[in-house]
Amino acid sequence: MDGGTDGDGKQAARARRIAAWHRSERTLAHGPAEGRIADRLAALALTADDPSYGGDGWVDVYGDGVVEELERRVATLLGMEAAAFFPTGTMAQQIALRCWAGRTGVPVVAVHPLAHLEVHERDAYLTVSGLRAVHPTSEPRPPTAEEVRDLDEPFGTLALELPLRDAGFVLPSWEELVAVVEAARERDAVVHFDGARLWECTAHFGRELPEIAALADSVYVSFYKSLDGISGAALAGPESLVAEARAWRHRYGGQLFQQWPAALAALAGLDRELPRLPSYVAHARVVAEALRKAFTAAGAGWSRVHPEVPHTHQFQVWLPYPAAVLDEAGVRLAEETRTTLFRRWQEPGPPGLAMTEVTVASPALEWTAEDVTAAVDAFLARVRELMRRDG
């Protein structure tokens, strides 16, 4: 295997993976890890040269200038009164929940146990703000209106992650989302959307961003998860809430001296990637079907593409092999054929099963179903070779 248990071994394995990915001539999806600093700086310089991004202006100081322009742009795109830029989505979310708890007087958040707030933010809502969570459901899907309505204790905020990433980037139907929001209103609760990936939800809902965002009292969006930005997020909502959030942003240490690189990259992503997202979602369905059929034809045993028809341009793939074997097979495929099919695998579920997330973006648009099938066959051949070698 390419791994190692010590720090040097892990760094060597990472360098090998990135080198293999970077040299690939065909890649199902690029990730931020293989981007060279010089390449990202060159792309940022091209963005700065475009007058529409204010490249002739001064760098921002504590969030003015190009950062303010980005905030105005996001508020307009979402149909909200105002928006504030944050260095991280975690900070944006925590401040939003804190502000709403103060306004509703109820420090309880109704949230899915697989949501980012619960899984990836180190209990910040509890340890930093003293809030508490209740779970409408533990099923790996968005909560239903009945589950929200039937919660047996009061809650001040319903936080909905759209899409619910750790359940497979899944979304409710539009009618289900409307019903869930209405159920929260019946409970006198406000609604906050964890919309880190809200940008790519329009195709599934058949609605534009302002109509989707209008269901919520506040919305958080990310600039790097779907838009190829460097970092950063925004919290959008009523002017009074955003003003309060700016004050808490300063208290939380998020009032950075200069943020123009992240703001420029975000503006470029809104112009370049946002219009392409519906095409990515459509092609994700082609890729997912091709993967599912290829695994079945190759006799891969228990395998899953989840959801079978992706709700966004991202979905899960599950295979019955150790993650370390799948990682090594992927690196060998890239090194030997200059083709990158999958990236890192993990084992978050039952023993003997590994999962990877697939993101279909511009590099994948040139892949046909036949291309996917050929790559799967080559990948599985290396998996089986490694399994035979390891006994």
mmCIF file of all heavy atoms in Angstrom, residues 340-389:
data_model
loop_
_atom_site.group_PDB
_atom_site.id
_atom_site.type_symbol
_atom_site.label_atom_id
_atom_site.label_comp_id
_atom_site.label_asym_id
_atom_site.label_seq_id
_atom_site.Cartn_x
_atom_site.Cartn_y
_atom_site.Cartn_z
ATOM 1 N N THR A 340 -7.725 9.511 -13.430
ATOM 2 C CA THR A 340 -8.184 9.567 -12.042
ATOM 3 C C THR A 340 -9.693 9.386 -12.023
ATOM 4 O O THR A 340 -10.434 10.201 -12.589
ATOM 5 C CB THR A 340 -7.804 10.899 -11.377
ATOM 6 O OG1 THR A 340 -6.373 10.993 -11.296
ATOM 7 C CG2 THR A 340 -8.371 10.985 -9.968
ATOM 8 N N LEU A 341 -10.135 8.299 -11.385
ATOM 9 C CA LEU A 341 -11.565 8.001 -11.303
ATOM 10 C C LEU A 341 -12.128 8.428 -9.950
ATOM 11 O O LEU A 341 -13.078 9.210 -9.877
ATOM 12 C CB LEU A 341 -11.786 6.504 -11.527
ATOM 13 C CG LEU A 341 -13.233 6.004 -11.466
ATOM 14 C CD1 LEU A 341 -14.073 6.663 -12.559
ATOM 15 C CD2 LEU A 341 -13.272 4.479 -11.591
ATOM 16 N N PHE A 342 -11.545 7.903 -8.866
ATOM 17 C CA PHE A 342 -11.986 8.239 -7.511
ATOM 18 C C PHE A 342 -10.818 8.844 -6.738
ATOM 19 O O PHE A 342 -9.664 8.698 -7.103
ATOM 20 C CB PHE A 342 -12.478 6.994 -6.770
ATOM 21 C CG PHE A 342 -13.606 6.278 -7.447
ATOM 22 C CD1 PHE A 342 -13.453 4.962 -7.873
ATOM 23 C CD2 PHE A 342 -14.812 6.911 -7.660
ATOM 24 C CE1 PHE A 342 -14.487 4.287 -8.494
ATOM 25 C CE2 PHE A 342 -15.866 6.253 -8.289
ATOM 26 C CZ PHE A 342 -15.699 4.929 -8.712
ATOM 27 N N ARG A 343 -11.158 9.489 -5.624
ATOM 28 C CA ARG A 343 -10.139 10.003 -4.733
ATOM 29 C C ARG A 343 -10.099 9.185 -3.447
ATOM 30 O O ARG A 343 -10.007 7.974 -3.501
ATOM 31 C CB ARG A 343 -10.365 11.491 -4.499
ATOM 32 C CG ARG A 343 -9.841 12.283 -5.708
ATOM 33 C CD ARG A 343 -10.039 13.762 -5.579
ATOM 34 N NE ARG A 343 -9.207 14.442 -6.534
ATOM 35 C CZ ARG A 343 -9.408 14.456 -7.853
ATOM 36 N NH1 ARG A 343 -10.442 13.831 -8.370
ATOM 37 N NH2 ARG A 343 -8.571 15.094 -8.660
ATOM 38 N N ARG A 344 -10.183 9.810 -2.304
ATOM 39 C CA ARG A 344 -10.005 9.085 -1.039
ATOM 40 C C ARG A 344 -11.264 8.304 -0.660
ATOM 41 O O ARG A 344 -12.384 8.732 -0.901
ATOM 42 C CB ARG A 344 -9.651 10.054 0.089
ATOM 43 C CG ARG A 344 -8.372 10.829 -0.110
ATOM 44 C CD ARG A 344 -7.168 9.939 -0.343
ATOM 45 N NE ARG A 344 -6.969 8.916 0.655
ATOM 46 C CZ ARG A 344 -6.389 9.129 1.833
ATOM 47 N NH1 ARG A 344 -5.939 10.342 2.149
ATOM 48 N NH2 ARG A 344 -6.231 8.133 2.697
ATOM 49 N N TRP A 345 -11.033 7.162 -0.018
ATOM 50 C CA TRP A 345 -12.102 6.321 0.489
ATOM 51 C C TRP A 345 -12.057 6.311 2.018
ATOM 52 O O TRP A 345 -11.002 6.514 2.614
ATOM 53 C CB TRP A 345 -11.956 4.892 -0.041
ATOM 54 C CG TRP A 345 -12.168 4.776 -1.521
ATOM 55 C CD1 TRP A 345 -11.275 5.104 -2.511
ATOM 56 C CD2 TRP A 345 -13.348 4.317 -2.179
ATOM 57 N NE1 TRP A 345 -11.837 4.874 -3.741
ATOM 58 C CE2 TRP A 345 -13.113 4.379 -3.574
ATOM 59 C CE3 TRP A 345 -14.583 3.844 -1.739
ATOM 60 C CZ2 TRP A 345 -14.052 3.998 -4.514
ATOM 61 C CZ3 TRP A 345 -15.539 3.461 -2.684
ATOM 62 C CH2 TRP A 345 -15.265 3.541 -4.047
ATOM 63 N N GLN A 346 -13.203 6.063 2.620
ATOM 64 C CA GLN A 346 -13.289 5.954 4.076
ATOM 65 C C GLN A 346 -14.241 4.823 4.430
ATOM 66 O O GLN A 346 -14.932 4.287 3.546
ATOM 67 C CB GLN A 346 -13.776 7.273 4.682
ATOM 68 C CG GLN A 346 -15.080 7.788 4.090
ATOM 69 C CD GLN A 346 -15.507 9.114 4.676
ATOM 70 O OE1 GLN A 346 -15.641 9.242 5.880
ATOM 71 N NE2 GLN A 346 -15.721 10.104 3.814
ATOM 72 N N GLU A 347 -14.270 4.443 5.694
ATOM 73 C CA GLU A 347 -15.112 3.330 6.143
ATOM 74 C C GLU A 347 -16.048 3.803 7.252
ATOM 75 O O GLU A 347 -15.854 3.501 8.430
ATOM 76 C CB GLU A 347 -14.228 2.173 6.613
ATOM 77 C CG GLU A 347 -13.332 1.633 5.493
ATOM 78 C CD GLU A 347 -12.395 0.525 5.953
ATOM 79 O OE1 GLU A 347 -12.621 -0.022 7.049
ATOM 80 O OE2 GLU A 347 -11.440 0.219 5.215
ATOM 81 N N PRO A 348 -17.077 4.582 6.890
ATOM 82 C CA PRO A 348 -17.966 5.153 7.912
ATOM 83 C C PRO A 348 -19.129 4.259 8.297
ATOM 84 O O PRO A 348 -19.905 4.601 9.181
ATOM 85 C CB PRO A 348 -18.492 6.412 7.212
ATOM 86 C CG PRO A 348 -18.564 6.001 5.766
ATOM 87 C CD PRO A 348 -17.405 5.056 5.544
ATOM 88 N N GLY A 349 -19.271 3.116 7.605
ATOM 89 C CA GLY A 349 -20.435 2.277 7.843
ATOM 90 C C GLY A 349 -20.083 0.900 8.348
ATOM 91 O O GLY A 349 -19.116 0.733 9.097
ATOM 92 N N PRO A 350 -20.836 -0.121 7.925
ATOM 93 C CA PRO A 350 -20.587 -1.493 8.385
ATOM 94 C C PRO A 350 -19.191 -1.975 7.992
ATOM 95 O O PRO A 350 -18.630 -1.538 6.986
ATOM 96 C CB PRO A 350 -21.678 -2.308 7.658
ATOM 97 C CG PRO A 350 -22.723 -1.306 7.297
ATOM 98 C CD PRO A 350 -21.994 -0.035 7.034
ATOM 99 N N PRO A 351 -18.609 -2.882 8.766
ATOM 100 C CA PRO A 351 -17.287 -3.420 8.433
ATOM 101 C C PRO A 351 -17.287 -4.058 7.050
ATOM 102 O O PRO A 351 -18.260 -4.707 6.645
ATOM 103 C CB PRO A 351 -17.053 -4.469 9.525
ATOM 104 C CG PRO A 351 -17.928 -4.061 10.654
ATOM 105 C CD PRO A 351 -19.133 -3.427 10.029
ATOM 106 N N GLY A 352 -16.204 -3.871 6.339
ATOM 107 C CA GLY A 352 -16.081 -4.462 5.009
ATOM 108 C C GLY A 352 -16.592 -3.602 3.886
ATOM 109 O O GLY A 352 -16.520 -4.002 2.718
ATOM 110 N N LEU A 353 -17.103 -2.427 4.205
ATOM 111 C CA LEU A 353 -17.615 -1.522 3.178
ATOM 112 C C LEU A 353 -16.865 -0.193 3.262
ATOM 113 O O LEU A 353 -16.608 0.314 4.349
ATOM 114 C CB LEU A 353 -19.108 -1.267 3.357
ATOM 115 C CG LEU A 353 -20.057 -2.445 3.114
ATOM 116 C CD1 LEU A 353 -21.486 -2.030 3.410
ATOM 117 C CD2 LEU A 353 -19.941 -2.953 1.684
ATOM 118 N N ALA A 354 -16.547 0.365 2.103
ATOM 119 C CA ALA A 354 -15.896 1.667 2.040
ATOM 120 C C ALA A 354 -16.720 2.588 1.155
ATOM 121 O O ALA A 354 -17.441 2.149 0.252
ATOM 122 C CB ALA A 354 -14.477 1.545 1.504
ATOM 123 N N MET A 355 -16.593 3.887 1.422
ATOM 124 C CA MET A 355 -17.389 4.889 0.701
ATOM 125 C C MET A 355 -16.497 6.022 0.220
ATOM 126 O O MET A 355 -15.547 6.408 0.895
ATOM 127 C CB MET A 355 -18.478 5.432 1.633
ATOM 128 C CG MET A 355 -19.441 6.437 0.981
ATOM 129 S SD MET A 355 -18.849 8.170 1.025
ATOM 130 C CE MET A 355 -19.018 8.529 2.769
ATOM 131 N N THR A 356 -16.813 6.523 -0.947
ATOM 132 C CA THR A 356 -16.178 7.732 -1.449
ATOM 133 C C THR A 356 -17.257 8.664 -1.973
ATOM 134 O O THR A 356 -18.349 8.219 -2.351
ATOM 135 C CB THR A 356 -15.146 7.440 -2.558
ATOM 136 O OG1 THR A 356 -14.389 8.627 -2.837
ATOM 137 C CG2 THR A 356 -15.823 6.975 -3.844
ATOM 138 N N GLU A 357 -16.974 9.958 -1.973
ATOM 139 C CA GLU A 357 -17.889 10.947 -2.535
ATOM 140 C C GLU A 357 -17.403 11.338 -3.922
ATOM 141 O O GLU A 357 -16.212 11.579 -4.122
ATOM 142 C CB GLU A 357 -17.956 12.172 -1.630
ATOM 143 C CG GLU A 357 -18.542 11.879 -0.258
ATOM 144 C CD GLU A 357 -18.486 13.064 0.683
ATOM 145 O OE1 GLU A 357 -17.676 13.985 0.454
ATOM 146 O OE2 GLU A 357 -19.240 13.073 1.669
ATOM 147 N N VAL A 358 -18.331 11.388 -4.853
ATOM 148 C CA VAL A 358 -18.018 11.763 -6.230
ATOM 149 C C VAL A 358 -18.629 13.132 -6.513
ATOM 150 O O VAL A 358 -19.815 13.351 -6.247
ATOM 151 C CB VAL A 358 -18.570 10.725 -7.232
ATOM 152 C CG1 VAL A 358 -18.342 11.187 -8.671
ATOM 153 C CG2 VAL A 358 -17.919 9.368 -6.992
ATOM 154 N N THR A 359 -17.825 14.032 -7.026
ATOM 155 C CA THR A 359 -18.280 15.361 -7.414
ATOM 156 C C THR A 359 -18.106 15.509 -8.921
ATOM 157 O O THR A 359 -16.991 15.404 -9.435
ATOM 158 C CB THR A 359 -17.474 16.457 -6.701
ATOM 159 O OG1 THR A 359 -17.636 16.320 -5.291
ATOM 160 C CG2 THR A 359 -17.945 17.846 -7.134
ATOM 161 N N VAL A 360 -19.192 15.719 -9.610
ATOM 162 C CA VAL A 360 -19.162 15.877 -11.063
ATOM 163 C C VAL A 360 -19.151 17.368 -11.385
ATOM 164 O O VAL A 360 -20.108 18.085 -11.110
ATOM 165 C CB VAL A 360 -20.376 15.195 -11.714
ATOM 166 C CG1 VAL A 360 -20.433 15.502 -13.209
ATOM 167 C CG2 VAL A 360 -20.314 13.686 -11.482
ATOM 168 N N ALA A 361 -18.031 17.829 -11.946
ATOM 169 C CA ALA A 361 -17.886 19.235 -12.336
ATOM 170 C C ALA A 361 -17.357 19.291 -13.768
ATOM 171 O O ALA A 361 -17.460 18.310 -14.514
ATOM 172 C CB ALA A 361 -16.973 19.961 -11.355
ATOM 173 N N SER A 362 -16.769 20.407 -14.160
ATOM 174 C CA SER A 362 -16.400 20.596 -15.564
ATOM 175 C C SER A 362 -15.501 19.504 -16.130
ATOM 176 O O SER A 362 -15.689 19.102 -17.292
ATOM 177 C CB SER A 362 -15.755 21.978 -15.754
ATOM 178 O OG SER A 362 -14.642 22.144 -14.909
ATOM 179 N N PRO A 363 -14.512 18.955 -15.391
ATOM 180 C CA PRO A 363 -13.687 17.904 -15.990
ATOM 181 C C PRO A 363 -14.478 16.672 -16.399
ATOM 182 O O PRO A 363 -14.077 15.941 -17.310
ATOM 183 C CB PRO A 363 -12.683 17.566 -14.879
ATOM 184 C CG PRO A 363 -12.654 18.757 -13.997
ATOM 185 C CD PRO A 363 -14.041 19.307 -14.036
ATOM 186 N N ALA A 364 -15.621 16.421 -15.736
ATOM 187 C CA ALA A 364 -16.395 15.206 -16.000
ATOM 188 C C ALA A 364 -17.291 15.327 -17.226
ATOM 189 O O ALA A 364 -17.784 14.301 -17.728
ATOM 190 C CB ALA A 364 -17.243 14.855 -14.785
ATOM 191 N N LEU A 365 -17.516 16.530 -17.707
ATOM 192 C CA LEU A 365 -18.471 16.712 -18.797
ATOM 193 C C LEU A 365 -18.040 15.997 -20.070
ATOM 194 O O LEU A 365 -18.878 15.636 -20.901
ATOM 195 C CB LEU A 365 -18.699 18.195 -19.067
ATOM 196 C CG LEU A 365 -19.349 18.993 -17.935
ATOM 197 C CD1 LEU A 365 -19.543 20.447 -18.347
ATOM 198 C CD2 LEU A 365 -20.679 18.376 -17.506
ATOM 199 N N GLU A 366 -16.735 15.780 -20.232
ATOM 200 C CA GLU A 366 -16.256 15.092 -21.439
ATOM 201 C C GLU A 366 -16.293 13.571 -21.297
ATOM 202 O O GLU A 366 -16.051 12.856 -22.261
ATOM 203 C CB GLU A 366 -14.819 15.521 -21.746
ATOM 204 C CG GLU A 366 -13.813 15.122 -20.689
ATOM 205 C CD GLU A 366 -12.414 15.611 -20.985
ATOM 206 O OE1 GLU A 366 -12.272 16.731 -21.527
ATOM 207 O OE2 GLU A 366 -11.456 14.878 -20.688
ATOM 208 N N TRP A 367 -16.606 13.071 -20.110
ATOM 209 C CA TRP A 367 -16.675 11.630 -19.891
ATOM 210 C C TRP A 367 -18.024 11.096 -20.377
ATOM 211 O O TRP A 367 -19.079 11.536 -19.924
ATOM 212 C CB TRP A 367 -16.531 11.302 -18.411
ATOM 213 C CG TRP A 367 -15.144 11.417 -17.865
ATOM 214 C CD1 TRP A 367 -14.347 12.511 -17.873
ATOM 215 C CD2 TRP A 367 -14.402 10.392 -17.204
ATOM 216 N NE1 TRP A 367 -13.151 12.253 -17.254
ATOM 217 C CE2 TRP A 367 -13.155 10.951 -16.831
ATOM 218 C CE3 TRP A 367 -14.667 9.056 -16.870
ATOM 219 C CZ2 TRP A 367 -12.184 10.214 -16.157
ATOM 220 C CZ3 TRP A 367 -13.704 8.337 -16.191
ATOM 221 C CH2 TRP A 367 -12.470 8.905 -15.847
ATOM 222 N N THR A 368 -17.988 10.104 -21.261
ATOM 223 C CA THR A 368 -19.200 9.404 -21.665
ATOM 224 C C THR A 368 -19.439 8.229 -20.718
ATOM 225 O O THR A 368 -18.571 7.866 -19.912
ATOM 226 C CB THR A 368 -19.074 8.877 -23.097
ATOM 227 O OG1 THR A 368 -18.030 7.884 -23.130
ATOM 228 C CG2 THR A 368 -18.727 10.013 -24.067
ATOM 229 N N ALA A 369 -20.610 7.612 -20.855
ATOM 230 C CA ALA A 369 -20.885 6.415 -20.058
ATOM 231 C C ALA A 369 -19.869 5.323 -20.369
ATOM 232 O O ALA A 369 -19.451 4.573 -19.467
ATOM 233 C CB ALA A 369 -22.302 5.930 -20.330
ATOM 234 N N GLU A 370 -19.452 5.230 -21.615
ATOM 235 C CA GLU A 370 -18.451 4.223 -22.000
ATOM 236 C C GLU A 370 -17.102 4.512 -21.348
ATOM 237 O O GLU A 370 -16.390 3.584 -20.937
ATOM 238 C CB GLU A 370 -18.310 4.184 -23.520
ATOM 239 C CG GLU A 370 -19.532 3.635 -24.260
ATOM 240 C CD GLU A 370 -20.690 4.610 -24.296
ATOM 241 O OE1 GLU A 370 -20.449 5.834 -24.106
ATOM 242 O OE2 GLU A 370 -21.841 4.158 -24.491
ATOM 243 N N ASP A 371 -16.751 5.777 -21.246
ATOM 244 C CA ASP A 371 -15.507 6.145 -20.561
ATOM 245 C C ASP A 371 -15.542 5.720 -19.099
ATOM 246 O O ASP A 371 -14.551 5.211 -18.558
ATOM 247 C CB ASP A 371 -15.272 7.657 -20.640
ATOM 248 C CG ASP A 371 -15.007 8.145 -22.051
ATOM 249 O OD1 ASP A 371 -14.472 7.372 -22.872
ATOM 250 O OD2 ASP A 371 -15.345 9.312 -22.335
ATOM 251 N N VAL A 372 -16.673 5.948 -18.460
ATOM 252 C CA VAL A 372 -16.823 5.569 -17.054
ATOM 253 C C VAL A 372 -16.684 4.058 -16.897
ATOM 254 O O VAL A 372 -15.982 3.562 -16.000
ATOM 255 C CB VAL A 372 -18.177 6.053 -16.503
ATOM 256 C CG1 VAL A 372 -18.401 5.522 -15.085
ATOM 257 C CG2 VAL A 372 -18.248 7.574 -16.511
ATOM 258 N N THR A 373 -17.338 3.305 -17.777
ATOM 259 C CA THR A 373 -17.270 1.842 -17.709
ATOM 260 C C THR A 373 -15.844 1.338 -17.856
ATOM 261 O O THR A 373 -15.389 0.464 -17.096
ATOM 262 C CB THR A 373 -18.156 1.223 -18.799
ATOM 263 O OG1 THR A 373 -19.503 1.641 -18.605
ATOM 264 C CG2 THR A 373 -18.083 -0.298 -18.759
ATOM 265 N N ALA A 374 -15.121 1.887 -18.819
ATOM 266 C CA ALA A 374 -13.733 1.456 -19.032
ATOM 267 C C ALA A 374 -12.866 1.772 -17.816
ATOM 268 O O ALA A 374 -12.026 0.955 -17.408
ATOM 269 C CB ALA A 374 -13.176 2.132 -20.292
ATOM 270 N N ALA A 375 -13.055 2.935 -17.227
ATOM 271 C CA ALA A 375 -12.266 3.306 -16.056
ATOM 272 C C ALA A 375 -12.598 2.421 -14.860
ATOM 273 O O ALA A 375 -11.712 2.037 -14.091
ATOM 274 C CB ALA A 375 -12.492 4.775 -15.715
ATOM 275 N N VAL A 376 -13.880 2.091 -14.678
ATOM 276 C CA VAL A 376 -14.274 1.198 -13.588
ATOM 277 C C VAL A 376 -13.628 -0.169 -13.758
ATOM 278 O O VAL A 376 -13.107 -0.760 -12.805
ATOM 279 C CB VAL A 376 -15.809 1.073 -13.514
ATOM 280 C CG1 VAL A 376 -16.222 -0.098 -12.613
ATOM 281 C CG2 VAL A 376 -16.427 2.360 -12.993
ATOM 282 N N ASP A 377 -13.649 -0.710 -14.974
ATOM 283 C CA ASP A 377 -13.039 -2.018 -15.217
ATOM 284 C C ASP A 377 -11.551 -1.996 -14.876
ATOM 285 O O ASP A 377 -11.030 -2.937 -14.241
ATOM 286 C CB ASP A 377 -13.237 -2.418 -16.676
ATOM 287 C CG ASP A 377 -14.688 -2.770 -16.996
ATOM 288 O OD1 ASP A 377 -15.459 -3.004 -16.045
ATOM 289 O OD2 ASP A 377 -15.054 -2.785 -18.186
ATOM 290 N N ALA A 378 -10.849 -0.946 -15.290
ATOM 291 C CA ALA A 378 -9.420 -0.841 -15.004
ATOM 292 C C ALA A 378 -9.176 -0.678 -13.506
ATOM 293 O O ALA A 378 -8.215 -1.234 -12.959
ATOM 294 C CB ALA A 378 -8.824 0.332 -15.780
ATOM 295 N N PHE A 379 -10.021 0.076 -12.841
ATOM 296 C CA PHE A 379 -9.896 0.288 -11.402
ATOM 297 C C PHE A 379 -10.114 -1.015 -10.645
ATOM 298 O O PHE A 379 -9.302 -1.393 -9.781
ATOM 299 C CB PHE A 379 -10.915 1.347 -10.971
ATOM 300 C CG PHE A 379 -11.019 1.566 -9.492
ATOM 301 C CD1 PHE A 379 -10.015 2.205 -8.787
ATOM 302 C CD2 PHE A 379 -12.138 1.132 -8.793
ATOM 303 C CE1 PHE A 379 -10.107 2.412 -7.422
ATOM 304 C CE2 PHE A 379 -12.253 1.338 -7.429
ATOM 305 C CZ PHE A 379 -11.233 1.977 -6.739
ATOM 306 N N LEU A 380 -11.186 -1.740 -10.973
ATOM 307 C CA LEU A 380 -11.494 -2.979 -10.266
ATOM 308 C C LEU A 380 -10.447 -4.051 -10.528
ATOM 309 O O LEU A 380 -10.188 -4.900 -9.654
ATOM 310 C CB LEU A 380 -12.882 -3.476 -10.649
ATOM 311 C CG LEU A 380 -14.062 -2.648 -10.121
ATOM 312 C CD1 LEU A 380 -15.381 -3.212 -10.622
ATOM 313 C CD2 LEU A 380 -14.060 -2.591 -8.597
ATOM 314 N N ALA A 381 -9.837 -4.048 -11.695
ATOM 315 C CA ALA A 381 -8.757 -5.002 -11.960
ATOM 316 C C ALA A 381 -7.613 -4.804 -10.983
ATOM 317 O O ALA A 381 -7.026 -5.776 -10.463
ATOM 318 C CB ALA A 381 -8.266 -4.846 -13.400
ATOM 319 N N ARG A 382 -7.297 -3.567 -10.681
ATOM 320 C CA ARG A 382 -6.227 -3.279 -9.717
ATOM 321 C C ARG A 382 -6.659 -3.591 -8.289
ATOM 322 O O ARG A 382 -5.846 -4.027 -7.473
ATOM 323 C CB ARG A 382 -5.793 -1.822 -9.877
ATOM 324 C CG ARG A 382 -4.963 -1.617 -11.156
ATOM 325 C CD ARG A 382 -4.911 -0.165 -11.615
ATOM 326 N NE ARG A 382 -4.037 -0.045 -12.772
ATOM 327 C CZ ARG A 382 -4.414 -0.324 -14.024
ATOM 328 N NH1 ARG A 382 -5.653 -0.747 -14.262
ATOM 329 N NH2 ARG A 382 -3.565 -0.203 -15.022
ATOM 330 N N VAL A 383 -7.942 -3.360 -7.995
ATOM 331 C CA VAL A 383 -8.451 -3.728 -6.676
ATOM 332 C C VAL A 383 -8.288 -5.228 -6.449
ATOM 333 O O VAL A 383 -7.801 -5.680 -5.401
ATOM 334 C CB VAL A 383 -9.931 -3.311 -6.538
ATOM 335 C CG1 VAL A 383 -10.534 -3.896 -5.254
ATOM 336 C CG2 VAL A 383 -10.077 -1.804 -6.529
ATOM 337 N N ARG A 384 -8.691 -6.024 -7.429
ATOM 338 C CA ARG A 384 -8.630 -7.478 -7.271
ATOM 339 C C ARG A 384 -7.193 -7.978 -7.200
ATOM 340 O O ARG A 384 -6.885 -8.927 -6.474
ATOM 341 C CB ARG A 384 -9.392 -8.126 -8.423
ATOM 342 C CG ARG A 384 -10.905 -7.969 -8.274
ATOM 343 C CD ARG A 384 -11.652 -8.247 -9.527
ATOM 344 N NE ARG A 384 -13.099 -8.172 -9.288
ATOM 345 C CZ ARG A 384 -13.989 -7.816 -10.201
ATOM 346 N NH1 ARG A 384 -13.575 -7.490 -11.424
ATOM 347 N NH2 ARG A 384 -15.271 -7.772 -9.905
ATOM 348 N N GLU A 385 -6.322 -7.346 -7.936
ATOM 349 C CA GLU A 385 -4.902 -7.718 -7.865
ATOM 350 C C GLU A 385 -4.354 -7.472 -6.458
ATOM 351 O O GLU A 385 -3.637 -8.313 -5.897
ATOM 352 C CB GLU A 385 -4.110 -6.914 -8.889
ATOM 353 C CG GLU A 385 -2.611 -7.171 -8.864
ATOM 354 C CD GLU A 385 -1.849 -6.268 -9.814
ATOM 355 O OE1 GLU A 385 -2.487 -5.607 -10.651
ATOM 356 O OE2 GLU A 385 -0.615 -6.212 -9.691
ATOM 357 N N LEU A 386 -4.721 -6.347 -5.870
ATOM 358 C CA LEU A 386 -4.266 -6.038 -4.515
ATOM 359 C C LEU A 386 -4.876 -6.991 -3.500
ATOM 360 O O LEU A 386 -4.206 -7.417 -2.551
ATOM 361 C CB LEU A 386 -4.625 -4.595 -4.163
ATOM 362 C CG LEU A 386 -3.813 -3.507 -4.883
ATOM 363 C CD1 LEU A 386 -4.501 -2.163 -4.735
ATOM 364 C CD2 LEU A 386 -2.400 -3.447 -4.320
ATOM 365 N N MET A 387 -6.133 -7.345 -3.671
ATOM 366 C CA MET A 387 -6.787 -8.269 -2.750
ATOM 367 C C MET A 387 -6.152 -9.655 -2.820
ATOM 368 O O MET A 387 -5.961 -10.310 -1.788
ATOM 369 C CB MET A 387 -8.284 -8.357 -3.060
ATOM 370 C CG MET A 387 -9.055 -7.071 -2.789
ATOM 371 S SD MET A 387 -9.087 -6.601 -1.034
ATOM 372 C CE MET A 387 -10.164 -7.883 -0.367
ATOM 373 N N ARG A 388 -5.790 -10.114 -4.026
ATOM 374 C CA ARG A 388 -5.117 -11.410 -4.152
ATOM 375 C C ARG A 388 -3.743 -11.370 -3.488
ATOM 376 O O ARG A 388 -3.346 -12.324 -2.813
ATOM 377 C CB ARG A 388 -4.975 -11.775 -5.636
ATOM 378 C CG ARG A 388 -6.269 -12.233 -6.292
ATOM 379 C CD ARG A 388 -6.003 -12.867 -7.638
ATOM 380 N NE ARG A 388 -5.380 -11.938 -8.574
ATOM 381 C CZ ARG A 388 -6.059 -11.158 -9.405
ATOM 382 N NH1 ARG A 388 -7.382 -11.190 -9.413
ATOM 383 N NH2 ARG A 388 -5.420 -10.348 -10.233
ATOM 384 N N ARG A 389 -3.040 -10.283 -3.680
ATOM 385 C CA ARG A 389 -1.700 -10.154 -3.114
ATOM 386 C C ARG A 389 -1.745 -10.155 -1.580
ATOM 387 O O ARG A 389 -0.893 -10.735 -0.912
ATOM 388 C CB ARG A 389 -1.047 -8.868 -3.610
ATOM 389 C CG ARG A 389 0.421 -8.736 -3.241
ATOM 390 C CD ARG A 389 0.888 -7.312 -3.379
ATOM 391 N NE ARG A 389 0.323 -6.469 -2.327
ATOM 392 C CZ ARG A 389 0.564 -5.158 -2.224
ATOM 393 N NH1 ARG A 389 1.315 -4.559 -3.119
ATOM 394 N NH2 ARG A 389 0.030 -4.460 -1.235
#
